[in-house]
Structures are given as C-alpha cells and as structure tokens.
Amino acid sequence: MGSMFDKYGGVDTVKIIVENFYGEMLSRPNLRRYFSDTPMDKLAMHQVEFIAYALGKPKAFYADEKLLAAHQKLRITDASFNQTKDILEDVLIDMHVEPVDRKDILDIIEGKRRLIVRQ
Ligand code: HEM
C-alpha cells in the first residue's frame, strides 16, 4: 500500500478506520440496506478493500468492470454515495488525518462514483 498507509500507522490505524467507518455505515438504515443480502465474508472483505483502496492501494487491483458489475445491481444513489464519503471524512478527521491527505483520499473515492452509483 502507498505511503499514506505507513504515514498514519499502518495496520493498526487501518483497523480502527475500518471499524469506525463500518460501524457508522451499518448504523444507518439507508446505507445498511445495500448490504442486507451480502454474506458476512463479503462484507468483511468490502470493509477492508474499501479502506485499502481509499488509502491508495494500487487501483489496477480493481478493474472498473468488476466494480461496475458488483455495484450496479445494488442501485446505489448519489445521496448514498455522498453520505458514504461524509462518513469516511468524519472518521478520518477523528483519526487526525491531515486535510491535504483527506482530500486525496476522498478524491480517490470520488473517482469511482460513476461505477458505483446506479447509471
Ligand atoms: C470507491 C468506492 C468503492 C469500492 C472501491 C468498492 C469495492 C468493492 C469491491 C472490490 C467489491 C467486491 C466485488 C466482488 O468481487 O464481488 C464490492 C462489492 C460490494 N459493494 Fe462496494 N465499493 C465501493 C463503494 C460502495 C458503496 C458506496 C456501497 C454501498 C453504500 C457499496 C456496497 C457494496 C456491496 C453491498 C457489495 C456486495 C455486492 C455483492 O454481494 O455481490 N460499495 N465493492
């Protein structure tokens, strides 16, 4: 993973970010509903993959077609996507991630909006 991963303390920090981020996501019915049919192992994977991706794990790992195929059927709205970003931003603020790095992380996520949000 990229330097951001190391800069903010590696695995230990990522674990806390993952836990806090998903705790918030799943406490909101309008976001939790997307995961209602997702098996636990896939859910656990999503938690880690999402945060790893946001922290700069090489994007080649996630082929656009794969992201598109996994998400289009979920009918995720722009509002839900925005909310996901807001939650992540709050968690990053709590973890004292610097503004410039927060912006980079949120920009990476924003770059995938057209694949995640229902077209
Ligand atoms: C940049 C943003 C995102 C990335 C990189 C990402 C990444 C992924 C990946 C790698 C998978 C697994 C694909 C597979 O092998 O089947 C997946 C599936 C999934 N994602 Fe995301 N995701 C993102 C955003 C979101 C958002 C915003 C939501 C909901 C609010 C969401 C909900 C789900 C669900 C429910 C699945 C499971 C689909 C299934 O059961 O087949 N994802 N995501």
Side-chain angles (χ1 to χ4, degrees), residues 4 17 31 37 43 46 48 50 70-71 98 100 102 104 106 117:
M4 204 116 61
I17 294 175
L31 295 177
D37 291 333
L43 180 59
H46 196 272
V48 176
F50 184 94
H71 296 92
E98 290 167 23
V100 64
R102 287 204 310 264
D104 281 354
L106 293 169
V117 168

Side-chain angles (χ1 to χ4, degrees), residues 30-93:
N30 65 314
L31 295 177
R32 189 173 58 221
R33 70 192 155 117
Y34 295 116
F35 295 91
S36 58
D37 291 333
T38 307
M40 281 311 290
D41 57 337
K42 254 197 177 180
L43 180 59
M45 187 211 66
H46 196 272
Q47 299 177 2
V48 176
E49 297 289 299
F50 184 94
I51 298 299
Y53 180 76
L55 290 183
K57 195 173 171 181
K59 63 172 173 231
F61 194 73
Y62 304 98
D64 282 359
E65 313 81 68
K66 192 180 156 184
L67 287 180
L68 194 69
H71 296 92
Q72 287 298 300
K73 62 186 180 222
L74 300 170
R75 299 167 167 263
I76 296 169
T77 62
D78 273 305
S80 294
F81 192 87
N82 292 340
Q83 211 181 345
T84 301
K85 282 180 64 184
D86 288 344
I87 291 171
L88 182 59
E89 185 170 28
D90 286 344
V91 170
L92 295 174
I93 290 170

